[in-house]
Amino acid sequence: MDFSSKLLEQAVDEMSQLPGIGKRTALRLVLHLLKQPEAQTQNLASALTKLRSEIKLCKNCFNISDTELCDICANPARNEELVCVVEDIRDVMAIENTGQYRGHYHVLGGKISPMDGVGPSQLNIHPLIEKVKAGKVEEIIFALSSTLEGDTTNFYIFKQLEGTKIKTSTIARGISVGDELEYADEVTLGRSIANRVPFESSLKG
Amino acid sequence: MDFSSKLLEQAVDEMSQLPGIGKRTALRLVLHLLKQPEAQTQNLASALTKLRSEIKLCKNCFNISDTELCDICANPARNEELVCVVEDIRDVMAIENTGQYRGHYHVLGGKISPMDGVGPSQLNIHPLIEKVKAGKVEEIIFALSSTLEGDTTNFYIFKQLEGTKIKTSTIARGISVGDELEYADEVTLGRSIANRVPFESSLKG
């Protein structure tokens, strides 16, 4: 693209570094900002800068937080002996939205992926192992996505925990509530039969 | 959405004010920035702020520019008696990309749209009329999109120019080069027959 303004070009370049935003979309967004009151651009810029410089990770679970200990870890009503291992904060938000989980989380910050240069040391795996070895945890629930990377990460953590008496589980895989059987993939359908549950327990909701 | 951090919530809120960016996409973009080096966020924020506060509009054609007069208006090789009227800078870039236009532009900054509260006074129409009345322009090419708003804007300017001896034209509407006739809409196909051109002139490319 041929810009008539260096300032515009720079703004579009920076905007188009965001994932899924190409040059054309970036230009559309930047031109939109130019038509809005200057305050909107300033608010956006300062919110981003402030977030990036002041953001904290909860020292216990590595969830994004404004305080040293996140609201979930600081809540005495929650069961700290049950720890759900997730990839990032979006998973925490999704599980919290169900309103059905009262344990703690442990946010890994990603999955082991040699292709992307992400090894165990870049993730928050070590603090999880320490927490378990300190005897503070009774059960770990693996809730990573069931991809190659997710399974690798689960297995790596599982191996690291060998020798401890910790209980480990993974979230149930099966047919989504409301889905038609005929459209389900075989792996999911196979697992949902192998891991069938007593009929009475399905009545609870 | 239930955020564990006010800072994060603010950044997502501001980001999701951009057109076509919902809360989920905003969260994805913001989390991406958090994983990148802090410099990337700072560069984005400062490029946007700088653009918004320092941007100039060319005093002749209202194109976005870093200088008082944009590169096109400042170029003596270009024909200032031929003025192409467009909606915004993206249209300028599109026409410039063809490499086939050597005249000037006039950027209106929008189209007349009573539904969106945009009247003639919010657009750069008056300076265009002045330019014509000062006798500096020989021909105006209307290159707005052929929507109700575009046609209204063209017609408004056309009426304002009554009494002057200016030549006015609109860009040709017709079937795109390479397109199949059977998929063209009737209005376009009709116009492309009504406005047919001598066969020899189509050979020029």
Side-chain angles (χ1 to χ4, degrees):
Chain A
M1 275 200 248
D2 225 22
F3 289 96
S4 58
S5 153
K6 279 262 167 273
L7 289 171
L8 181 66
E9 186 171 8
Q10 260 161 30
V12 170
D13 274 353
E14 290 294 337
M15 196 66 119
S16 64
Q17 306 233 344
L18 293 173
I21 300 211
K23 290 259 176 185
R24 265 166 194 275
T25 308
L27 179 60
R28 188 166 55 81
L29 297 179
V30 168
L31 289 180
H32 171 85
L33 281 176
L34 281 177
K35 283 192 184 174
Q36 301 303 308
E38 195 165 339
Q40 186 175 337
T41 308
Q42 282 166 349
N43 290 345
L44 172 62
S46 74
L48 290 178
T49 320
K50 216 171 156 210
L51 172 74
R52 191 63 183 83
S53 61
E54 293 182 17
I55 198 75
K56 286 189 196 71
L57 295 181
C58 169
K59 65 176 180 175
N60 186 43
C61 73
F62 299 92
N63 193 3
I64 290 176
S65 168
D66 296 340
T67 44
E68 279 233 314
L69 212 57
C70 75
D71 290 350
I72 295 171
C73 290
N75 183 349
R78 299 193 68 132
N79 179 4
E80 61 173 331
E81 295 182 327
L82 184 61
V83 173
C84 183
V85 177
V86 295
E87 190 186 334
D88 73 15
I89 185 178
R90 280 176 288 182
D91 305 319
V92 174
M93 288 165 72
I95 297 176
E96 283 298 290
N97 271 341
T98 68
Q100 302 203 3
Y101 180 67
R102 302 301 299 163
H104 278 204
Y105 294 93
H106 189 91
V107 180
L108 293 180
K111 291 173 290 193
I112 296 176
S113 171
M115 292 283 281
D116 304 317
V118 181
S121 59
Q122 274 112 307
L123 305 175
N124 307 316
I125 292 179
H126 188 68
L128 175 65
I129 311 295
E130 292 295 301
K131 212 158 34 177
V132 172
K133 288 195 173 154
K136 289 181 190 158
V137 186
E138 213 164 67
E139 178 177 349
I140 279 183
I141 306 171
F142 291 115
L144 302 183
S145 54
S146 56
T147 56
L148 181 60
E149 289 84 8
D151 290 344
T152 306
T153 312
N154 287 344
F155 192 67
Y156 179 85
I157 297 173
F158 182 74
K159 289 300 270 183
Q160 294 283 310
L161 293 174
E162 265 183 359
T164 66
K165 290 173 305 185
I166 187 105
K167 213 173 125 187
T168 51
S169 57
T170 72
I171 56 170
R173 308 287 176 183
I175 311 296
S176 290
V177 177
D179 259 15
E180 304 278 356
L181 284 207
E182 54 180 322
Y183 301 120
D185 66 289
E186 307 95 68
V187 179
T188 304
L189 190 52
R191 278 223 225 171
S192 78
I193 290 172
N195 303 326
R196 62 196 177 277
V197 293
F199 183 67
E200 306 86 54
S201 76
S202 74
L203 297 176
K204 289 179 205 158
Chain B
M1 274 200 246
D2 222 22
F3 290 96
S4 57
S5 153
K6 278 263 168 273
L7 289 171
L8 180 65
E9 187 170 6
Q10 260 161 32
V12 170
D13 275 353
E14 290 295 338
M15 195 64 118
S16 62
Q17 307 234 344
L18 294 173
I21 301 213
K23 289 260 176 183
R24 264 164 194 275
T25 308
L27 178 60
R28 189 167 54 82
L29 297 179
V30 168
L31 289 180
H32 171 86
L33 281 176
L34 281 177
K35 282 192 185 176
Q36 302 300 309
E38 196 166 338
Q40 186 175 337
T41 308
Q42 283 165 349
N43 291 345
L44 172 62
S46 74
L48 290 178
T49 320
K50 214 171 157 208
L51 172 73
R52 192 64 185 82
S53 60
E54 294 181 17
I55 199 74
K56 286 189 195 70
L57 295 181
C58 169
K59 64 175 181 176
N60 187 42
C61 74
F62 299 91
N63 192 3
I64 289 177
S65 167
D66 296 340
T67 45
E68 279 234 314
L69 212 58
C70 76
D71 291 350
I72 295 171
C73 290
N75 184 349
R78 299 194 68 133
N79 179 3
E80 62 174 331
E81 296 182 327
L82 185 61
V83 173
C84 182
V85 177
V86 294
E87 188 186 335
D88 74 14
I89 184 178
R90 279 176 289 182
D91 305 320
V92 175
M93 290 166 70
I95 297 176
E96 283 298 287
N97 270 341
T98 67
Q100 302 202 4
Y101 180 68
R102 303 300 301 163
H104 278 205
Y105 294 92
H106 189 91
V107 181
L108 293 181
K111 290 172 292 194
I112 296 176
S113 171
M115 291 283 280
D116 304 317
V118 181
S121 58
Q122 275 112 309
L123 305 175
N124 307 315
I125 291 179
H126 187 68
L128 175 65
I129 311 296
E130 291 296 300
K131 212 156 38 175
V132 172
K133 289 194 171 153
K136 288 181 188 160
V137 185
E138 212 163 68
E139 178 177 349
I140 279 185
I141 306 172
F142 290 116
L144 301 184
S145 54
S146 56
T147 56
L148 181 62
E149 289 84 8
D151 290 344
T152 306
T153 312
N154 287 343
F155 193 67
Y156 178 86
I157 297 174
F158 182 75
K159 290 300 269 183
Q160 294 285 310
L161 293 174
E162 264 182 358
T164 67
K165 291 175 306 189
I166 187 103
K167 211 173 126 190
T168 51
S169 57
T170 72
I171 55 170
R173 308 287 176 183
I175 312 294
S176 291
V177 178
D179 258 15
E180 305 279 356
L181 286 207
E182 54 179 321
Y183 300 120
D185 66 287
E186 307 95 70
V187 181
T188 305
L189 190 54
R191 279 224 226 171
S192 78
I193 290 173
N195 302 327
R196 61 196 177 277
V197 294
F199 183 66
E200 306 86 52
S201 76
S202 74
L203 297 175
K204 292 181 202 156

